[in-house]
Amino acid sequence: MKKRISYWFLSGLAVWMAIILLRQNSIYIPVINDHFTDFITVPMYCYLIEYMMNSLLGFCWKPDLRFVLTSVVYLSFLFEIFCPKLSEHFTGDIFDVLAYCTGGMIYYIFKIRPTYI
């Protein structure tokens, strides 16, 4: 039986869509537009990988701290170092890296760590 997608994940997608619509209509909310999307990126990425591994591929896998940390490093490198060199639409920002780290640690503390206690 396939696991249903989390309401938190769907809420994150809804927030992302709302922010995209606001950007398209030239409505700019600084903290939400600049850092909130980065804050929810790592939790959504980790959840999506877990969902795909377990529900779609049939594994019984849980992300651990090492997975969360490597996800933070990977996404930070991709979106804050590599992509800004390819396009002017991306900007490298240390505060975005801090948002990735904070989102990853909150995901670990509230989603992963309670399963080990």
Side-chain angles (χ1 to χ4, degrees), residues 7 9 17 44 54 64 69 92 111:
Y7 292 115
F9 182 79
M17 294 303 292
M44 291 183 66
N54 295 337
D64 58 3
L69 292 176
K111 175 79 168 91

Side-chain angles (χ1 to χ4, degrees), residues 23-103:
R23 287 177 184 169
Q24 288 177 346
N25 292 309
S26 300
I27 299 171
Y28 182 79
I29 304 168
V31 173
I32 291 174
N33 208 27
D34 293 341
H35 305 296
F36 184 72
T37 53
D38 298 320
F39 174 74
I40 64 174
T41 297
V42 173
M44 291 183 66
Y45 174 84
C46 290
Y47 175 80
L48 184 61
I49 297 296
E50 179 183 2
Y51 179 82
M52 289 173 27
M53 292 287 288
N54 295 337
S55 296
L56 301 179
L57 299 176
F59 293 99
C60 185
W61 179 79
K62 287 295 250 186
D64 58 3
L65 181 60
R66 184 174 22 177
F67 180 78
V68 173
L69 292 176
T70 56
S71 298
V72 167
V73 170
Y74 168 71
L75 292 169
S76 296
F77 174 77
L78 181 65
F79 291 116
E80 306 305 321
I81 296 173
F82 186 69
C83 287
K85 293 181 184 212
L86 298 178
S87 173
E88 294 176 4
H89 294 283
F90 294 93
T91 57
D93 184 3
I94 190 68
F95 293 111
D96 291 345
V97 174
L98 291 173
Y100 293 136
C101 290
T102 305

